Amino acid sequence: QMQLVESGGGLVQAGGSLRLSCAASGLTISSNTMGWFRQAPGKDREFVAVISWSGSISDYADSVKGRFTISRDHAKNTVYLQMNSLKPEDTAVYYCAADRGPISTIHSRYDYWGQGTQVTVSS
């Protein structure tokens, strides 16, 4: 059974940092484009970051460029999202997703999703 499990969310003050992890089972992340998305209450799910299957290409939403970094560890079959200089507007449920195609910022393109992890940034 293919499964993505996020962890690492929590409550942090503005300016702080968190590192989210996404552990995959039943699928090999080295064969998939891996993305992070987020959804705040009352808002649509939005793209945050994506990394290609090889790790050579990555892309970020303008709102997180320079603050967030996506990475992958094939040996651990895990994808990470390092989030620095967090702002209250980063508060959302963060989801990890896997796509068998090329990198995409469109959430409907992704085939598999985790259950999400809550990130709350206080001002």
Side-chain angles (χ1 to χ4, degrees), residues 19-42:
R19 188 177 81 154
L20 305 183
S21 299
C22 172
S25 60
L27 64 88
T28 303
I29 66 167
S30 59
S31 300
N32 286 269
T33 291
M34 301 299 297
W36 285 96
F37 292 78
R38 66 187 182 187
Q39 188 165 17

Side-chain angles (χ1 to χ4, degrees), residues 20-112:
L20 305 183
S21 299
C22 172
S25 60
L27 64 88
T28 303
I29 66 167
S30 59
S31 300
N32 286 269
T33 291
M34 301 299 297
W36 285 96
F37 292 78
R38 66 187 182 187
Q39 188 165 17
K43 295 188 177 181
D44 292 335
R45 189 166 299 191
E46 65 173 0
F47 164 74
V48 175
V50 62
I51 189 166
S52 64
W53 64 270
S54 66
S56 61
I57 302 172
S58 60
D59 194 14
Y60 298 88
D62 288 343
S63 59
V64 308
K65 276 181 183 175
R67 300 188 297 122
F68 291 12
T69 303
I70 188 171
S71 62
R72 56 198 305 160
D73 185 331
H74 290 175
K76 295 183 178 180
N77 213 29
T78 299
V79 178
Y80 302 98
L81 185 68
Q82 177 67 44
M83 306 186 296
N84 298 328
S85 302
L86 283 161
K87 304 175 181 180
E89 51 264 44
D90 294 319
T91 295
V93 176
Y94 283 70
Y95 297 92
C96 172
D99 178 11
R100 290 168 291 184
I103 65 168
S104 173
T105 63
I106 303 172
H107 65 80
S108 60
R109 289 278 308 274
Y110 285 74
D111 304 300
Y112 305 104

Side-chain angles (χ1 to χ4, degrees), residues 6-12 18 20 36 38-41 83 88 90-95 115-121:
E6 301 97 335
S7 61
L11 174 63
V12 63
L18 284 173
L20 305 183
W36 285 96
R38 66 187 182 187
Q39 188 165 17
M83 306 186 296
D90 294 319
T91 295
V93 176
Y94 283 70
Y95 297 92
Q115 83 290 346
T117 186
Q118 176 71 46
V119 171
T120 303
V121 185

